[in-house]
Amino acid sequence: MSGEKPKVVFVLGGPGAGKGTQCSKIVERFHFVHLSAGDLLREERAREGSEFGQLIEEYIRNGKIVPVEVTCSLLENAMKLSGKMRFLIDGFPRNQDNLDGWQRQMADKTDMQFVLFFDCAEDVCVVRCLGRGQGGSGRSDDNMESLKKRIQTYNNDSLPIIKHFENAGQVKRIDATPDADTVFQAVERVFLDAGFQ
Ligand code: ADP
Ligand code: C5P
Ligand code: MG
């Protein structure tokens, strides 16, 4: 077998930490393809004839994590379709089921570089999500009721996954509190140090 495997960076952090915002900047600067698991699920929910539409809406509104078979296949299809070799996988893996599914389906086919972890206090995350909702995100989960559940899921299910990667020495932690341009200065350093340009 010849050829390199596609390079993958996992992008994690609480709801509203700024993952999508920073990913856009990374795409511009380092020419990655940005794949947000949440965006892919919302697209699939909206796709006419999708057998998962209702299930996805139910999970998203309740801040629960959709079974990995759905999410991982959406990610794999999007990776194949792009024909590219550098991917930001944003908002995944979000729980043990996500991680196990990735190991089964994708780990051997890809080259995971590191985990970019946007560390953001809960109250800041809440303000940002509610602001995004007021700004017209149209998301059914940018409201206080869903947000409480999303934060619970993050604390109970996602933080242990970040911890798992941390124990393996794979986490690049970024303070997500400052303004977006300041956060990106730290992000840029991480990618340059990892040899990307
Ligand atoms: P995530 O993808 O992690 O949920 P987003 O990138 O969508 O987060 O950002 C959530 C909201 O917070 C958006 O309205 C965005 O414009 C805003 N935002 C993102 N980064 C920052 C920042 N560093 N400071 C202030 N607001 C931010
Ligand atoms: O990352 P984002 O905030 O866009 O995710 C929105 C929702 O999409 C999550 O709260 C969850 O319900 C769903 N999701 C999921 N599995 C993922 C990522 C997102 O079920 N890996
Ligand atoms: Mg996002």
Side-chain angles (χ1 to χ4, degrees):
M1 292 289 279
S2 68
E4 257 176 276
K5 296 176 182 179
K7 290 184 166 61
V8 162
V9 171
F10 289 138
V11 182
L12 297 175
K19 301 181 291 298
T21 302
Q22 295 300 320
C23 282
S24 299
K25 293 176 180 291
I26 299 164
V27 166
E28 228 175 87
R29 173 70 177 76
F30 295 103
H31 313 292
F32 274 69
V33 174
H34 173 212
L35 298 178
S36 153
D39 286 349
L40 289 169
L41 287 165
R42 284 183 286 272
E43 259 172 46
E44 175 63 19
R45 178 184 62 183
R47 189 173 63 81
E48 206 168 323
S50 168
E51 56 179 310
F52 302 117
Q54 224 173 348
L55 174 140
I56 291 172
E57 171 55 18
E58 187 69 19
Y59 274 78
I60 285 185
R61 217 168 2 91
N62 288 303
K64 290 194 302 178
I65 306 303
V66 173
V68 70
E69 288 73 17
V70 175
T71 315
C72 205
S73 299
L74 292 172
L75 288 168
E76 183 170 19
N77 287 341
M79 287 173 74
K80 281 186 185 152
L81 261 176
S82 76
K84 299 280 168 48
M85 291 295 282
R86 287 181 176 188
F87 298 95
L88 299 167
I89 308 273
D90 161 5
F92 182 98
R94 213 83 153 221
N95 65 3
Q96 190 65 46
D97 175 58
N98 274 189
L99 182 58
D100 292 344
W102 178 269
Q103 304 291 14
R104 281 194 302 271
Q105 191 174 334
M106 296 302 293
D108 289 346
K109 302 178 197 168
T110 54
D111 193 359
M112 208 281 277
Q113 305 290 298
F114 53 84
V115 176
L116 197 58
F117 168 42
F118 290 106
D119 198 359
C120 193
E122 197 170 296
D123 54 338
V124 176
C125 284
V126 169
V127 168
R128 288 184 185 173
C129 284
L130 294 179
R132 186 171 58 189
Q134 277 154 11
S137 69
R139 286 179 52 155
S140 59
D141 60 351
D142 277 342
N143 57 76
M144 205 55 230
E145 199 188 334
S146 291
L147 206 43
K148 277 187 194 148
K149 298 175 182 169
R150 291 162 68 195
I151 288 168
Q152 202 174 6
T153 298
Y154 174 68
N155 287 328
N156 291 340
D157 302 338
S158 306
L159 277 179
I161 302 304
I162 294 163
K163 192 92 207 157
H164 156 87
F165 286 122
E166 209 162 58
N167 292 338
Q170 293 175 307
V171 171
K172 312 284 186 192
R173 183 194 159 281
I174 306 274
D175 180 6
T177 320
D179 65 90
D181 287 336
T182 305
V183 173
F184 187 68
Q185 286 175 14
V187 171
E188 191 176 25
R189 268 197 305 279
V190 165
F191 280 81
L192 288 173
D193 287 350
F196 291 103
Q197 41 183 330

